[in-house]
Amino acid sequence: MSKRKVALVTGGSRGIGRGICLELGRAGYDVVVNYATRPDAADEVVEEIDKAGGCAVAVGGSVAVAEDRAVLLAKTLDRFGRIDVLVNNAGITSQGRKDILKATEESWDVVFGTNLKGPFFLTQLVANEMVREIGEKSIAGGKIVNISSISAHTISLNRADYCMTKTAIGTMTKLYAQRLAEFGIGVFEICPGVIESDMTAGVKEKYDRLIAEGLWPIRRWGRPDDVAKAVLAVVSDSFPFSTGDCINVDGGFHIRTL
Ligand SMILES: NC(=O)c1ccc[n+]([C@@H]2O[C@H](COP(=O)([O-])OP(=O)(O)OC[C@H]3O[C@@H](n4cnc5c(N)ncnc54)[C@H](OP(=O)(O)O)[C@@H]3O)[C@@H](O)[C@H]2O)c1
């Protein structure tokens, strides 16, 4: 069994998840870099962590698929023998970004499967394992971090399914926080604003303009490492008397101004 804490990051191959993997790897966590379709990108993250003196492994599988979730946990335990941290980061945007009056069930199913059903049941699986490990004193406690979005509280009419999954992640965070506190497992939501990644590459010009106009007070794009620093703070016990909280990493976008 690894002597170091072990973190499983879903969607760790690119964007925000990649930033979280690198930050946790540099901070001394053993990291499981999950990916869905891009083993090349996941391997590159593993290499970078190795070069920095850390230890990581890439594991493929879709969070939306029950068998893949089981394999993800099994491979984590095979490789490292424990799990201390789960970061539910993997997520996709609305398919085709269609107006709510034209939105499709196909997009709904795939977005809800990846953004909500996947994290909910992966959390259930991992939480049961953490409870078992805490019971046998092989780990002292656990942390679960859910990556939601400003779309949890700010609607986009062309991404209804996406927005609803992100609102539900907030409720899921509170549900698991309540249930798992007695075991010493803290559950948190991180709510990023607009962050540079492949997901936002297609809307870069729009956001460049909105940022220049001052849509949020800190006038720049968010970066994956902005989110990663918040995740590290949460998992490294900087908030020992907190659980179920949401931390905004959005340049102040959530502030209402009159
Ligand atoms: N970018 C933003 O502005 C922003 C803002 C707020 C919240 N978020 C949230 O932050 C998270 C990451 O977003 P991002 O911008 O980094 O996205 P991204 O650049 O598109 O990267 C998505 C990552 O998720 C993985 N993934 C996709 N579907 C998966 C599945 N079914 N199972 C496992 N992994 C899967 C991808 O793996 P492959 O590489 O294998 O495809 C990739 O690593 C998402 O939950 C997103 O909703 C993003």
Side-chain angles (χ1 to χ4, degrees):
M1 186 176 95
S2 177
K3 289 203 172 105
R4 307 180 338 154
K5 288 188 176 174
V6 175
L8 164 56
V9 182
T10 67
S13 46
R14 291 185 288 120
I16 293 172
R18 177 180 185 278
I20 295 168
C21 288
L22 296 177
E23 189 79 19
L24 294 182
R26 283 192 290 257
Y29 289 79
D30 290 339
V31 184
V32 178
V33 182
N34 162 246
Y35 64 92
T37 60
R38 292 282 307 276
D40 56 317
D43 285 345
E44 193 262 334
V45 177
V46 168
E47 260 172 49
E48 214 167 309
I49 292 173
D50 285 350
K51 265 190 227 151
C55 184
V57 64
V59 180
S62 170
V63 295
V65 177
E67 299 77 46
D68 289 11
R69 292 192 294 269
V71 168
L72 193 48
L73 178 60
K75 288 196 175 170
T76 302
L77 298 177
D78 277 356
R79 176 70 179 78
F80 295 119
R82 61 191 279 182
I83 181 160
D84 305 79
V85 172
L86 168 65
V87 183
N88 284 308
N89 164 78
I92 54 171
T93 193
S94 193
Q95 307 296 282
R97 294 185 182 236
K98 292 198 166 100
D99 178 82
I100 190 168
L101 295 181
K102 296 197 168 142
T104 63
E105 286 195 35
E106 288 74 22
S107 176
W108 174 287
D109 287 342
V110 70
V111 171
F112 270 76
T114 305
N115 294 8
L116 189 58
K117 187 180 83 171
F120 181 87
F121 286 105
L122 182 61
T123 297
Q124 186 190 66
L125 195 65
V126 169
N128 278 306
E129 171 61 18
M130 285 176 172
V131 167
R132 192 189 67 73
E133 292 178 22
I134 291 164
E136 65 175 25
K137 298 196 181 342
S138 49
I139 63 171
K143 292 282 187 311
I144 296 170
V145 184
N146 302 316
I147 306 299
S148 66
S149 169
I150 50 173
S151 297
H153 56 72
T154 303
I155 58 166
S156 301
L157 289 175
N158 62 348
R159 293 187 293 140
D161 43 16
Y162 180 80
C163 294
M164 286 186 283
T165 61
K166 293 300 181 180
T167 306
I169 285 290
T171 304
M172 183 186 113
T173 300
K174 294 186 192 76
L175 286 161
Y176 276 117
Q178 173 71 257
R179 185 67 181 86
L180 297 174
E182 65 177 291
F183 303 104
I185 301 170
V187 187
F188 295 85
E189 173 187 0
I190 307 265
C191 190
V194 175
I195 309 290
E196 280 174 345
S197 77
D198 291 344
M199 186 182 276
T200 47
V203 281
K204 184 166 184 324
E205 276 174 26
K206 173 185 165 186
Y207 286 127
D208 280 346
R209 180 172 43 80
L210 291 173
I211 290 167
E213 289 167 8
L215 188 61
W216 47 87
I218 304 177
R219 292 191 184 197
R220 66 165 173 84
W221 278 77
R223 295 183 298 263
D225 66 290
D226 292 319
V227 181
K229 287 187 172 101
V231 172
L232 179 61
V234 163
V235 303
S236 54
D237 272 336
S238 299
F239 302 95
F241 195 48
S242 304
T243 193
D245 293 88
C246 173
I247 296 169
N248 295 301
V249 184
D250 64 356
F253 177 77
H254 64 280
I255 301 167
R256 286 183 162 198
T257 309
L258 199 57

